[in-house]
């Protein structure tokens, strides 16, 4: 089994804890389903949030999905002028038999504009 990395992102409509929880859960669920993953396939997940998000830790949503024994970390994105606001990004390290070219990276809503080259 190989170690792979899966990317994803979602743009929030507003900076509210419940909304962040809902959107990050939707993103993680899509990543898991599209790559046929279970929690046992996860090695670690790195979350970043743009500097305009303050309401909660994105990793809290993962814990709410039952991802409880996987190392998670949150960090802040660079504050770049003109960058898409209110975005949570995910970099998940997984164990998978999928070839790198078949890993499904998930960009929901307006966040799809971030990586048109790999968004599926």
């Amino acid at each position: 089994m190989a170690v792979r990395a899966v990317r994803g992102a979602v743009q929030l409509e507003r900076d509210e804890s419940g909304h962040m929880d809902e959107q990050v859960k939707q993103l993680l669920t899509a990543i898991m389903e599209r790559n046929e993953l279970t929690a046992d396939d996860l090695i670690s997940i790195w979350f970043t949030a743009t500097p305009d998000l303050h309401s909660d830790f994105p990793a809290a949503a993962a814990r709410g999905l039952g991802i409880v024994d996987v190392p998670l970390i949150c960090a802040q994105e660079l504050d770049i002028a003109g960058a898409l606001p209110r975005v949570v990004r995910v970099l998940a390290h997984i164990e998978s038999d999928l070839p790198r070219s078949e890993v499904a990276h998930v960009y929901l809503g307006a966040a799809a504009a971030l990586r048109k080259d790999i968004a599926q």
Side-chain angles (χ1 to χ4, degrees), residues 2 9 37 39-40 47 61 66 74 80 86 95:
L37 301 171
D40 286 340
F47 296 89
C74 296
I80 304 297
R86 300 177 317 280
E95 291 181 318

Side-chain angles (χ1 to χ4, degrees), residues 10 12 19-29 47 58-59 61-62 65 88 90:
V10 64
L12 306 183
H19 179 62
M20 180 183 289
D21 184 70
E22 172 188 301
Q23 293 297 300
V24 174
K25 282 180 178 175
Q26 182 180 355
L27 175 61
L28 291 172
T29 298
F47 296 89
L65 284 175
V88 174
V90 171

Side-chain angles (χ1 to χ4, degrees), residues 41-103:
D41 299 318
L42 299 172
I43 297 169
S44 65
I45 305 175
W46 185 283
F47 296 89
T48 65
T50 50
D52 52 1
L53 294 175
H54 308 277
S55 62
D56 205 351
F57 294 101
R63 298 293 185 223
L65 284 175
I67 300 171
V68 296
D69 61 350
V70 175
L72 309 174
I73 193 165
C74 296
Q76 188 176 71
E77 283 286 331
L78 296 173
D79 191 8
I80 304 297
L84 197 61
R86 300 177 317 280
V87 174
V88 174
R89 291 173 174 85
V90 171
L91 173 62
H93 299 98
I94 64 169
E95 291 181 318
S96 176
D97 288 326
L98 288 174
R100 190 175 287 140
S101 61
E102 292 182 24
V103 171

